Amino acid sequence: MAFVTANWNPLGDAFYRKVELYEMGWSLKDGLRECLVAAAPYGGPIALLKEPQRRSPSARPQLEIYSSSGVTMASFVWKSGVVKQLGWTVCDDLLCIQEDGTILIYDLFGNFKRHFSMGNEVGQSQVLEAKVIHSPYGTGVAIVTGASRFTLATNIDDLKLRRLPEVPGLQGAPPCWAVLTQDRQSKVLVANGADIFILDNAVCTPVNPPGLSPQATSIVHMCVSFSYKYLALFTDSGHVWMGSTDLKEKLSEVDTKVRNTPKQMAWCRRPKSREPSVVIMWDRHLLVAGVCKDTIPYHLDDDSVLVPELDGVRIVNGTHHELLQEVPAACEEIFKIASMAPGALLLEALKEYEKESQKADEYLREIKEQNLLGEAVRQCVEAAGHEQEAETQKTLLRAASFGKCFLSNFSPEPQVCMCRDLRVLNAVRDYTVGIPLTHMQFRQMTVRVLIDRLVYRKLYPLAIEICRYLKTPEYQGVSRVLKHWACCKVQQKEEADENIARAISLKLGEAAGISYSEIATKAYECGRTELAIKLLEFEPRSGEQVPLLLKIKRSQLALSKAIESGDTDLVYTVVTYLKNEMNRGDFFMTLRNQPVALSLYRQFCKHQEQDTLKDLFNQDDDHQELGNFYVKASYQEKKLEARIGLLQSAVDEYNKAKNEFAAKVTEEEMRLLRFQRRLEEEKGECLLGFSLHDTISTLLSLGLHKHAEQLYKEFRVPDKRYWWLKLTALAEKEDWEELEKFAKSKKSPIGYLPFVEVCVKRQNKYEAKKYVSKVTLDQKVKAHLSVGDLEGAADAAIERRNEGEIGAVLSRCSPATDRALVERLNRAKATAAKK
Amino acid sequence: MAAHLSYGRVNLNILREAARKELREFLDKCAGSKAIVWDEYLTGPFGLIAQYSLLKEHEVEKMFTLKGGRVPPADVKNIIFFVRPRLELMDIIAENVISEEKLPAPREAHILFVPRRSLLCEQRLKEQGVLNSFTNIDEYILDLIPYDGDLLSMESESAFRECYLENDQTSLFHTAKGLMTLQALYGTIPQIFGKGECARHVANMMLRMKREFAGSQNQILPVFDTLLLLDRNVDLLTPLATQLTYEGLIDEIYGITNGYVKLPPEKFAQKKPGEGGKDLPTEPKKLQLNSAEELYAEIRDKNFNAVGAALSKKAKIISAAFEERHNAKTVGEIKNFVSQLPHMQAARSSLANHTSVAELIKDITTSESFFDNLTVEQEFMTGVDTDKINTYIEDCIAQKDPLIKILRLVCMQSVCNNGLKQKVLDYYKREILQTYGYEHILTLNNLEKVGLLKPQTTTRNNYPTIRKTLKLWMEDANEQNPNDISYVYSGYAPLSVRLTQVLARPGWRSIEEVLKMLPGPHFEERQQLPSGLHKKRKGPVSNMYHFEFAGQQGENRTTLVFFLGGVTYAEIAALRFLSQMEDGGTEYIIATTKLINGTSWVKSLMDRPEAQIL
């Protein structure tokens, strides 16, 4: 604690510090000499391609992958072509860019994933130099070939090669170049002598850095800041020019007094940086050149590599791993010697308090008097986030809580979050994990990405721990990790399907929102179809199961899964697929075993393929449905014979189905049609398609009584109905004579009330009255009432001593009615009621 | 706009708002002016979600009905097809799109599938070569539509037919999805009860989907305590009977579609002095019917015989309120009176409307044929002579009364007799075929398939047992001041609602025997609540057979009753009656695939081949 400032160096108004992150776990004989090195940002992995010890044609280089702390993750002999450049993708995959333009992709553990080429024309001219770039669009690659042409791919996962325009006068490799992302476009900045050009898709534009010192005759090195906003140029005169990447603004120019070409150069700044700088590295010499023109020299013991980060530069050499950064404001305020900042005072107060000294109170008072206690707490919390040492973090957080005790209404949220974040950061910074993230980087990359990184490293337990600790929603956190674990598990070739499936279901069983189908797809891709099927069993979302099952040609299973889901659209999809894939017989057989699918397919056929529908019924010997099918089809026919033909088929089927009734009535229908046709021919009356009822009715109204009679007998129409029918038809025709004849023809099976009513309905009370006397006693009152004969109704009702009927008659009486009649009714009603 | 949806125990406006939000989001996805091409069937249901004004706010400038040929000219940037996922509609869309692309400046095309995307339909569009012509293909998940403060409907006309006749369970899948959406908004429903095959299927899918959604579980305190799923075919009788509540009769006689009814205009003629009332309106009068109208909410569920009294009482109150103006002396009083005027005027016009509607209905209910029909229905329901050929039915056929009336009666007799003797059944069928035409053999066949008509297989008729155990017939139904649900059919207590009532108290164990007689399994499922929500709820310890109320007196439970295959207004009235019962303790929210009545229901089961002219 006491020596917090020991490694601080002033630069302008700020300080820079170099903090050791790790003592490297690797043991490299020659350090990083003769090595091609690629270290991923955000504390990512480091890849080394070591040139062989013996210089013999058969000797092969060794490719090694380490964590940031130098723990070996993979190591193997490089057997492919000559590698020009290594780089890491945003997903922690290693890109090996070969001389011939082929790029090979390996995972963190050195497993080959895939390869692609930067274009055919690269082949002859060969790649001279290459750079891997990161942008919001993913990981990109830029190369320059022996023909001095640049080719750019912005996103290797969606490969679109862009050949950039020629640079005038450029021969061979350019002295230096850089890729930047501007206006949603990747561009190449290239120097040739003292000239600088910007290459975009279409044109090569010469540019002039404003105020570049005139002594320079050529630009020998350049670098772009992490954010692509700033550019630094190193000239042969030993000057560093710093400015914006749009080359509109010059920030500064510093004379380094070193004319050698630097080995590497990197911007060292942070968001809201007070004193940004450029770090320039030569063989054994490192110089921090501030925009303020101050410099800090460092001596290097060993070959080193600079890794630019969002908020600093990491320096890796054969034995150590350090972070060089501007001291964050909060840390400076607190730890600067003799600082009187509120945070510093609060820290003092805590120290005194722990010593049980009353000075604690004095310090506190001093802060409180200035009303800065809140600020003090905030400073301590923030500073804690910037410190690497757990002890320092703890002290600062303790100071913050101590200060908070004297504040009311102060949100604990920032401090709680910071504690939580730091716990996670300390866990991943641990030597065994080796991800030296700063708090700022962590915030920028998000928990989600950190979890991904851990998953890529197969650090599943730690990832799950972190998810649980940060209370990440299950489906974003734990479930996702488990899914990756399972995807990894299915690749274990030596384990039996059974065991893997069991292990996976055991571990994932309780987790929510697991996509088993993704795991199964992975298994299928690894050639383990059986395992894939087993895993699919666990997938609760049938919508997800079905497509994969179809893909692996388990269509029957897909069908039953689709049915299980209840999603009929899914069933239809599988059925359509099966229909195209199988021969008709098998297809029908399959459906037969799946009634749900069968009925859905029937529905489909009903609307789309009538003929297939018939075949389906045929195959099932479903004669009843076949009968219905023919009946339905018969109505589509315009020709009588065709219709009758189809009806005959229906009769046959109904007979086969032992549905006598249906067969009989269908035969009846045929008979009726024939009769109607005959009638049409004889009488010219078009009755085709009429129902039996309507046919008879029409015949009667036409006066064709004989024909009507014939149908009545032939179709065995019940007497009652026939009487109603004839009655209605005659009344409608107002053929009262015929009606009377009909009434007298024999005793009416429907009584005579309908006769009365029918006449009344036709406003013929005179005719109606003829039938009143024939009406049976129990309907007499009603009959009298319908013809408006109150007296008759009254007599009938009184005679029958029926209270209800008497009431009905009474209700029809009006003030105009004979008083005597009303009284009579009332009396009778009273007597009837007594009974 | 839809305040009446939020009056109830469960604020159904949340659901409506969620649906509206989704609609707006989709419309905004298609930037610029747009025309909507409607699958005509959807316009009604959509009206319950969003009026034209909402569409207009999102640059919908024109609306067309989907038909063959090409989309009519309109100066818009986008054409959006709002369609159900039906193959036949895809062909029409393809035709539209192909002719659109021939134009010099084709408009951008989009499809919105309601309620769900369909791979099958997309495949069809692909075959037609137009799939790539669409900028957006999306789905609008509209399963359960808020219909009233306590009522949700899927407005799926053919659900019953599909499920029970065609064995196509698509609508059940949508039901399950809809219930999942509902649970996402109103919390997981801890208890699920059900009766019937379809109910079982829906419950299975729900439990399955719950597993699928696991992990994204919401932390909402459940609003519903219980879900009861009921198959329509458990109670085939109720919809066949003529509903006798006010709303039920409006539906029986004029048909309510998507909350609107069209009435003959004569009775609504405005009597304005001077015009002499000569110009009678010829357009049918369209009325919206929901609980937003105070008077309607009051009388809709009454037995029609009690409506007259209620209307005249209301009339007195309103005229008394208008009389108040004579008492208003001070400026303050007058101001107060004036401020109430709009409300009073609305009440007066509402009263006038419903008085006219009641008159219209009364003309019918007092007719002899209505009375005769009702008498026969009640005879069947009480089990009088259900095994013989009924003379009234015979006479009606002989006079060629409307076929659906006959079918309703014959089916009712069959249901009340647990099937008809083969001889009786064949007689009816033959009479129907000879009178109405042989093509109806297909319809009769359908009715047999769904069990509405059937030959008696055993001599045992279990309907009387069911009737007695569940007290389906109440001799002394009080129409004016009901004390039992049977008032909705003037004596008959709907079976479905009785089952619901018994489930709440004393539990289904008491009617185990009857449950076995009714088709399909009965079951109970429990859904685990997300941890953390347990503590806040008083956990009712109950199972299917001990649905006890111990410790819950005074604590209202909310039950969602879902009728798979349709529900009638009378059944809804009966459930509302139960909700209002003081000692009931259970509030019911009703959901269904479609609001039905006997006529619309039987109609949906008919097959009428379009006969070619010979």
Side-chain angles (χ1 to χ4, degrees):
Chain A
M1 271 299 296
F3 310 111
V4 171
T5 55
N7 56 0
W8 289 19
N9 284 303
L11 184 88
D13 289 338
F15 290 91
Y16 269 65
R17 67 179 176 189
K18 204 161 69 150
V19 191
E20 181 172 293
L21 296 173
Y22 300 110
E23 209 166 298
M24 295 305 275
W26 63 31
S27 54
L28 303 175
K29 226 187 201 165
D30 299 317
L32 297 175
R33 205 179 311 141
E34 305 269 324
C35 277
L36 203 52
V37 185
Y42 290 101
I46 305 171
L48 300 180
L49 189 69
K50 285 201 271 187
E51 281 309 317
Q53 302 288 326
R54 297 169 289 108
R55 294 268 173 208
S56 82
S58 63
R60 298 277 180 191
Q62 179 84 6
L63 185 72
E64 293 174 349
I65 298 172
Y66 296 96
S67 75
S68 275
S69 55
V71 174
T72 311
M73 298 174 83
S75 168
F76 58 96
V77 176
W78 183 255
K79 288 180 181 157
S80 295
V82 177
V83 176
K84 275 285 168 190
Q85 181 71 41
L86 295 174
W88 290 97
T89 71
V90 286
C91 308
D92 279 355
D93 283 331
L94 179 64
L95 299 178
C96 304
I97 305 165
Q98 295 192 146
E99 203 171 47
D100 59 358
T102 313
I103 298 178
L104 288 78
I105 306 181
Y106 290 82
D107 73 8
L108 266 176
F109 296 94
N111 300 310
F112 176 71
K113 285 179 90 166
R114 64 186 179 96
H115 71 89
F116 63 94
S117 163
M118 288 299 284
N120 296 332
E121 69 279 0
V122 180
Q124 305 92 33
S125 55
Q126 302 215 311
V127 176
L128 295 182
E129 281 177 26
K131 286 188 200 296
V132 174
I133 43 178
H134 298 278
S135 73
Y137 315 104
T139 306
V141 174
I143 56 163
V144 57
T145 64
S148 302
R149 291 296 293 269
F150 288 90
T151 303
L152 191 68
T154 323
N155 179 6
I156 56 161
D157 291 322
D158 177 22
L159 195 65
K160 285 191 191 94
L161 296 176
R162 283 169 22 210
R163 203 150 178 244
L164 302 183
E166 222 166 320
V167 181
L170 182 63
Q171 300 277 317
C176 61
W177 57 289
V179 185
L180 41 115
T181 300
Q182 246 176 9
D183 310 331
R184 291 191 282 171
Q185 224 195 73
S186 292
K187 296 172 183 174
V188 169
L189 195 66
V190 55
N192 188 14
D195 303 325
I196 302 183
F197 302 93
I198 285 191
L199 301 178
D200 63 14
N201 282 357
V203 286
C204 170
T205 324
V207 283
N208 280 312
L212 186 64
S213 90
Q215 297 107 299
T217 53
S218 78
I219 292 156
V220 294
H221 208 98
M222 65 167 77
C223 75
V224 176
S225 72
F226 202 78
S227 62
Y228 294 110
K229 278 192 191 134
Y230 302 98
L231 174 70
L233 304 170
F234 194 88
T235 63
D236 57 349
S237 59
H239 286 82
V240 193
W241 178 94
M242 299 172 225
S244 60
T245 39
D246 57 14
L247 292 161
K248 283 186 183 138
E249 193 192 341
K250 175 182 168 179
L251 293 174
S252 178
E253 196 165 14
V254 180
D255 185 0
T256 63
K257 314 232 164 44
V258 184
R259 290 183 172 233
N260 296 342
T261 304
K263 258 176 76 183
Q264 211 184 339
M265 202 160 84
W267 275 92
C268 183
R269 49 179 304 130
R270 59 164 68 241
K272 293 189 195 139
S273 205
R274 286 188 299 160
E275 293 291 352
S277 64
V278 173
V279 179
I280 310 151
M281 183 180 78
W282 291 271
D283 267 348
R284 286 287 182 267
H285 181 49
L286 189 80
L287 187 74
V288 180
V291 172
C292 57
K293 304 204 175 177
D294 252 9
T295 56
I296 309 167
Y298 287 102
H299 174 74
L300 296 174
D301 300 328
D302 195 3
D303 285 290
S304 301
V305 172
L306 301 181
V307 188
E309 289 279 8
L310 173 70
D311 53 354
V313 172
R314 283 185 290 130
I315 305 164
V316 183
N317 67 26
T319 52
H320 288 86
H321 192 156
E322 292 167 314
L323 173 66
L324 174 68
Q325 64 171 180
E326 182 188 322
V327 175
C331 299
E332 190 187 319
E333 294 267 20
I334 292 177
F335 295 118
K336 199 164 75 179
I337 292 163
S339 166
M340 293 295 278
L345 293 178
L346 181 58
L347 189 60
E348 269 327 296
L350 173 77
K351 281 181 187 161
E352 294 301 332
Y353 173 73
E354 284 174 346
K355 277 192 258 165
E356 299 184 8
S357 152
Q358 84 282 5
K359 275 190 186 164
D361 185 49
E362 280 169 31
Y363 281 118
L364 267 177
R365 263 177 214 284
E366 198 176 334
I367 311 171
K368 281 181 94 173
E369 269 159 21
Q370 300 175 67
N371 237 343
L372 287 171
L373 190 51
E375 179 58 26
V377 172
R378 266 187 292 273
Q379 272 182 2
C380 287
V381 171
E382 201 198 324
H386 292 300
E387 290 301 324
Q388 298 282 326
E389 286 286 327
E391 270 317 310
T392 318
Q393 293 167 1
K394 277 186 199 163
T395 311
L396 286 165
L397 288 170
R398 247 193 344 262
S401 353
F402 178 64
K404 206 158 63 64
C405 297
F406 303 95
L407 284 167
S408 54
N409 280 334
F410 190 81
S411 164
E413 194 65 22
Q415 194 184 351
V416 172
C417 283
M418 184 56 79
C419 289
R420 229 187 264 145
D421 289 356
L422 282 176
R423 255 194 103 170
V424 171
L425 282 176
N426 289 340
V428 299
R429 282 171 189 163
D430 186 89
Y431 170 80
T432 52
V433 180
I435 304 181
L437 281 177
T438 65
H439 188 250
M440 189 172 271
Q441 291 164 15
F442 173 62
R443 283 277 141 208
Q444 177 74 20
M445 96 192 287
T446 71
V447 181
R448 202 189 150 86
V449 176
L450 177 63
I451 299 298
D452 281 339
R453 298 266 156 114
L454 293 175
V455 161
Y456 299 142
R457 283 167 171 74
K458 301 193 183 171
L459 296 169
Y460 305 112
L462 178 62
I464 287 180
E465 243 4 274
I466 290 178
C467 291
R468 292 209 174 117
Y469 179 67
L470 293 179
K471 299 204 172 69
T472 317
E474 258 200 349
Y475 56 100
Q476 282 171 17
V478 175
S479 297
R480 207 158 50 90
V481 177
L482 285 172
K483 187 200 81 187
H484 281 285
W485 168 79
C487 284
C488 169
K489 185 85 185 162
V490 298
Q491 295 174 51
Q492 295 179 350
K493 297 230 156 56
E494 64 283 1
E495 285 236 44
D497 291 350
E498 201 64 53
N499 297 344
I500 293 183
R502 198 181 318 118
I504 288 178
S505 80
L506 268 178
K507 199 150 270 175
L508 275 57
E510 290 300 301
I514 290 275
S515 166
Y516 280 94
S517 62
E518 252 178 81
I519 305 167
T521 308
K522 189 83 199 174
Y524 173 63
E525 281 166 11
C526 300
R528 303 184 76 158
T529 311
E530 284 309 314
L531 179 57
I533 292 168
K534 280 204 176 72
L535 288 171
L536 271 181
E537 280 294 317
F538 301 121
E539 173 64 65
R541 289 168 298 178
S542 320
E544 305 284 318
Q545 286 174 316
V546 172
L548 182 62
L549 283 171
L550 286 180
K551 204 156 105 193
I552 59 184
K553 306 252 179 272
R554 298 301 153 108
S555 34
Q556 304 266 3
L557 196 56
L559 183 59
S560 39
K561 288 289 167 197
I563 290 168
E564 219 174 87
S565 77
D567 184 347
T568 44
D569 184 53
L570 210 53
V571 179
Y572 272 131
T573 309
V574 181
V575 168
T576 324
Y577 179 89
L578 291 177
K579 189 179 150 204
N580 296 331
E581 201 192 43
M582 294 176 147
N583 68 45
R584 212 174 163 84
D586 291 346
F587 175 57
F588 280 6
M589 264 333 264
T590 307
L591 287 184
R592 203 172 178 177
N593 298 325
Q594 298 283 8
V596 175
L598 179 61
S599 16
L600 284 177
Y601 186 60
R602 272 188 193 152
Q603 280 308 104
F604 171 83
C605 291
K606 214 181 209 167
H607 298 293
Q608 307 283 333
E609 294 176 20
Q610 288 279 333
D611 286 341
T612 316
L613 188 62
K614 195 171 88 182
D615 295 345
L616 276 172
F617 292 142
N618 253 323
Q619 114 138 4
D620 289 349
D621 292 325
D622 192 339
H623 299 295
Q624 173 67 30
E625 282 302 334
L626 273 171
N628 293 344
F629 176 85
Y630 285 123
V631 168
K632 226 173 273 178
S634 77
Y635 290 103
Q636 306 298 317
E637 292 295 342
K638 285 192 179 122
K639 291 214 171 85
L640 183 69
E641 282 322 306
R643 183 178 287 190
I644 286 179
L646 282 169
L647 286 174
Q648 184 57 52
S649 308
V651 170
D652 296 345
E653 295 298 338
Y654 285 139
N655 275 327
K656 277 188 215 156
K658 302 218 164 45
N659 188 342
E660 267 175 63
F661 175 82
K664 236 157 108 189
V665 290
T666 310
E667 272 171 353
E668 250 183 55
E669 182 177 9
M670 291 157 64
R671 249 190 300 147
L672 180 64
L673 283 170
R674 290 203 184 96
F675 175 88
Q676 288 167 340
R677 164 56 53 90
R678 217 161 41 231
L679 199 79
E680 191 182 329
E681 283 161 3
E682 287 171 16
K683 307 280 179 195
E685 288 297 335
C686 183
L687 297 175
L688 273 171
F690 278 35
S691 75
L692 180 65
H693 177 104
D694 294 345
T695 311
I696 298 179
S697 180
T698 315
L699 291 174
L700 289 171
S701 59
L702 289 169
L704 298 168
H705 294 284
K706 277 231 178 74
H707 288 90
E709 200 80 6
Q710 184 198 341
L711 283 180
Y712 152 62
K713 284 190 183 130
E714 202 176 306
F715 285 84
R716 279 194 252 139
V717 175
D719 281 353
K720 270 182 166 178
R721 187 148 60 81
Y722 184 66
W723 274 68
W724 267 113
L725 188 56
K726 189 157 177 179
L727 170 67
T728 319
L730 292 176
E732 247 163 55
K733 215 178 140 196
E734 307 205 342
D735 189 346
W736 306 119
E737 205 176 315
E738 190 67 34
L739 185 66
E740 200 169 344
K741 240 166 67 193
F742 177 52
K744 285 176 181 159
S745 63
K746 64 175 179 181
K747 190 171 178 291
S748 161
I750 52 171
Y752 292 90
L753 187 60
F755 281 79
V756 178
E757 284 176 343
V758 144
C759 296
V760 172
K761 212 167 145 195
R762 291 266 143 204
Q763 267 96 35
N764 194 334
K765 283 198 182 162
Y766 172 77
E767 286 294 328
K769 280 182 183 153
K770 287 183 184 169
Y771 305 103
V772 173
S773 60
K774 302 184 98 168
V775 172
T776 50
L777 268 183
D778 56 328
Q779 292 181 323
K780 216 150 212 165
V781 177
K782 225 173 163 184
H784 280 295
L785 284 179
S786 353
V787 296
D789 175 10
L790 268 184
E791 226 155 303
D795 287 342
I798 291 166
E799 191 183 336
R800 277 167 47 79
R801 293 184 191 149
N802 183 312
E803 197 192 348
E805 286 179 358
I806 297 170
V809 181
L810 267 172
S811 70
R812 294 280 289 270
C813 292
S814 65
T817 323
D818 181 10
R819 299 295 313 156
L821 183 70
V822 177
E823 270 167 38
R824 208 149 62 88
L825 281 166
N826 277 329
R827 267 202 311 280
K829 193 179 171 192
T831 338
K834 263 182 225 153
K835 255 196 325 178
Chain B
M1 283 307 284
H4 63 288
L5 296 178
S6 44
Y7 292 159
R9 172 87 170 269
V10 177
N11 183 356
L12 295 181
N13 213 17
I14 297 177
L15 184 62
R16 185 170 182 268
E17 280 309 320
R20 284 163 70 91
K21 180 164 167 260
E22 213 186 315
L23 182 62
R24 284 194 289 257
E25 277 168 7
F26 174 77
L27 289 173
D28 289 341
K29 234 192 239 178
C30 316
S33 57
K34 38 205 149 260
I36 296 179
V37 182
W38 288 96
D39 170 354
E40 211 169 5
Y41 182 86
L42 290 175
T43 52
F46 257 85
L48 294 165
I49 295 295
Q51 273 77 32
Y52 184 49
S53 55
L54 180 141
L55 301 177
K56 223 169 168 180
E57 276 164 32
H58 294 265
E59 296 179 84
V60 175
E61 290 173 2
K62 285 269 177 204
M63 312 242 260
F64 304 113
T65 304
L66 180 64
K67 48 178 174 264
R70 63 184 220 84
V71 180
D75 186 20
V76 290
K77 196 167 160 276
N78 303 284
I79 296 177
I80 313 176
F81 295 93
F82 277 36
V83 288
R84 287 167 297 159
R86 301 262 170 133
L87 285 179
E88 58 274 19
L89 298 179
M90 295 307 112
D91 295 347
I92 303 177
I93 291 178
E95 203 181 319
N96 280 197
V97 169
I98 289 166
S99 19
E100 184 74 23
E101 280 175 348
K102 284 183 194 143
L103 295 176
R107 295 162 285 189
E108 239 176 79
H110 313 263
I111 295 190
L112 187 63
F113 282 114
V114 185
R116 210 144 268 118
R117 278 180 87 137
S118 143
L119 292 167
L120 192 69
C121 287
E122 284 170 44
Q123 181 65 30
R124 172 59 66 103
L125 291 172
K126 200 171 167 187
E127 283 164 22
Q128 301 267 21
V130 293
L131 188 63
N132 292 325
S133 311
F134 296 97
T135 320
N136 274 310
I137 297 183
D138 235 306
E139 62 184 4
Y140 183 58
I141 302 174
L142 186 67
D143 293 313
L144 284 166
I145 305 166
Y147 205 94
D148 211 327
D150 57 356
L151 181 59
L152 298 161
S153 169
M154 297 173 64
E155 292 303 275
S156 158
E157 198 99 55
S158 47
F160 184 85
R161 183 189 169 104
E162 283 166 16
C163 290
Y164 299 95
L165 183 62
E166 289 158 350
N167 198 18
D168 171 356
Q169 293 166 337
T170 308
S171 59
L172 298 182
F173 180 67
H174 293 167
T175 302
K177 284 275 187 190
L179 283 166
M180 296 316 284
T181 312
L182 207 64
Q183 292 187 88
L185 292 171
Y186 297 98
T188 306
I189 307 175
Q191 274 180 312
I192 305 176
F193 292 93
K195 171 72 187 165
E197 292 290 348
C198 293
R200 181 70 262 184
H201 189 61
V202 169
N204 285 348
M205 280 191 284
M206 280 174 71
L207 297 173
R208 198 188 157 85
M209 287 170 189
K210 186 161 183 262
R211 272 206 292 149
E212 294 187 12
F213 292 139
S216 50
Q217 230 169 33
N218 60 25
Q219 295 287 328
I220 300 171
L221 200 65
V223 172
F224 298 105
D225 300 276
T226 309
L227 166 66
L228 170 61
L229 295 160
L230 281 177
D231 271 34
R232 184 72 271 176
N233 85 335
V234 170
D235 173 15
L236 292 171
L237 174 56
T238 303
L240 292 171
T242 304
Q243 309 172 64
L244 295 176
T245 58
Y246 180 51
E247 190 170 35
L249 276 167
I250 298 178
D251 188 39
E252 290 279 347
I253 299 167
Y254 299 107
I256 302 174
T257 32
N258 306 126
Y260 286 90
V261 67
K262 283 182 185 167
L263 297 161
E266 299 81 31
K267 295 242 179 189
F268 296 93
Q270 291 269 328
K271 281 177 225 125
K272 275 189 198 149
E275 283 178 28
K278 283 206 176 96
D279 302 316
L280 281 175
T282 46
E283 283 280 300
K285 168 92 177 173
K286 202 171 171 191
L287 277 186
Q288 188 172 19
L289 300 174
N290 60 41
S291 55
E293 192 183 347
E294 197 185 311
L295 174 64
Y296 187 64
E298 217 171 285
I299 58 171
R300 68 199 300 186
D301 299 320
K302 287 193 186 302
N303 185 292
F304 184 66
N305 286 335
V307 168
L311 285 175
S312 71
K313 202 173 117 199
K314 190 80 185 177
K316 277 181 201 139
I317 293 170
I318 290 175
S319 57
F322 273 99
E323 284 307 307
E324 280 288 301
R325 70 172 183 270
H326 299 303
N327 302 333
K329 297 281 192 279
T330 67
V331 176
E333 280 167 351
I334 292 171
K335 199 178 165 198
N336 186 32
F337 176 81
V338 171
S339 72
Q340 284 173 7
L341 259 182
H343 178 245
M344 283 159 62
Q345 273 159 349
R348 187 158 64 177
S349 95
S350 156
L351 179 70
N353 276 339
H354 286 290
T355 309
S356 304
V357 177
E359 277 171 24
L360 281 170
I361 291 174
K362 190 151 196 228
D363 287 349
I364 290 164
T365 52
T366 49
S367 72
E368 204 167 312
S369 66
F370 185 87
F371 178 78
D372 290 346
N373 187 67
L374 198 61
T375 309
V376 173
E377 279 184 13
Q378 298 196 341
E379 275 171 16
F380 287 157
M381 290 191 286
T382 47
V384 177
D385 288 340
T386 49
D387 54 344
K388 298 193 189 89
I389 293 165
N390 183 287
T391 340
Y392 177 70
I393 298 180
E394 252 186 319
D395 288 353
C396 289
I397 297 176
Q399 292 169 78
K400 210 181 173 193
D401 278 359
L403 174 60
I404 291 185
K405 173 184 172 182
I406 309 296
L407 293 176
R408 276 178 79 163
L409 283 170
V410 175
C411 289
M412 193 171 198
Q413 188 179 351
S414 169
V415 172
C416 290
N417 199 51
N418 194 22
L420 296 168
K421 278 186 202 143
Q422 191 71 49
K423 216 178 73 193
V424 175
L425 181 61
D426 284 354
Y427 178 80
Y428 280 137
K429 277 161 70 178
R430 200 154 163 273
E431 289 290 282
I432 291 169
L433 293 178
Q434 289 196 346
T435 307
Y436 300 92
Y438 291 100
E439 68 269 25
H440 294 293
I441 192 169
L442 299 172
T443 297
L444 292 173
N445 190 47
N446 288 349
L447 294 174
E448 283 186 63
K449 261 199 211 159
V450 299
L452 274 169
L453 272 184
K454 60 179 180 185
Q456 210 169 37
T457 42
T458 57
T459 45
R460 238 186 79 99
N461 174 10
N462 53 26
Y463 174 70
T465 321
I466 297 171
R467 189 183 69 229
K468 276 172 210 143
T469 319
L470 292 180
K471 300 200 186 69
L472 297 187
W473 187 260
M474 303 296 275
E475 249 343 305
D476 42 4
N478 187 339
E479 295 170 347
Q480 303 292 333
N481 295 302
N483 50 11
D484 180 74
I485 56 167
S486 55
Y487 85 93
V488 298
Y489 287 98
S490 295
Y492 168 69
L495 197 162
S496 56
V497 183
R498 268 290 192 254
L499 287 179
T500 314
Q501 193 181 7
V502 173
L503 176 70
R505 189 163 26 179
W508 274 359
R509 171 181 252 182
S510 59
I511 52 163
E512 185 80 347
E513 285 306 309
V514 166
L515 283 175
K516 275 186 193 146
M517 289 174 187
L518 297 169
H522 54 285
F523 60 89
E524 179 195 358
E525 296 287 350
R526 322 199 107 239
Q527 295 200 98
Q528 205 70 48
L529 290 179
S531 53
L533 293 184
H534 286 293
K535 288 168 234 153
K536 296 172 203 158
R537 293 179 58 81
K538 257 192 219 161
V541 184
S542 67
N543 62 36
M544 179 161 212
Y545 302 114
H546 296 100
F547 193 86
E548 286 182 62
F549 271 74
Q552 298 195 65
Q553 289 296 350
E555 186 194 345
N556 258 322
R557 301 177 57 84
T558 305
T559 297
L560 176 66
V561 188
F562 204 121
F563 288 86
L564 301 165
V567 69
T568 65
Y569 287 98
E571 286 173 298
I572 294 169
L575 284 169
R576 284 185 184 140
F577 172 77
L578 289 181
S579 292
Q580 283 158 13
M581 281 216 309
E582 272 163 29
D583 56 345
T586 307
E587 182 110 7
Y588 294 98
I589 304 292
I590 303 124
T592 184
T593 47
K594 175 77 190 165
L595 290 149
I596 56 165
N597 60 47
T599 303
S600 66
W601 188 41
V602 169
K603 208 181 229 166
S604 78
L605 291 168
M606 291 176 75
D607 252 329
R608 312 198 69 158
E610 296 268 312
Q612 293 284 342
I613 297 160
L614 285 163

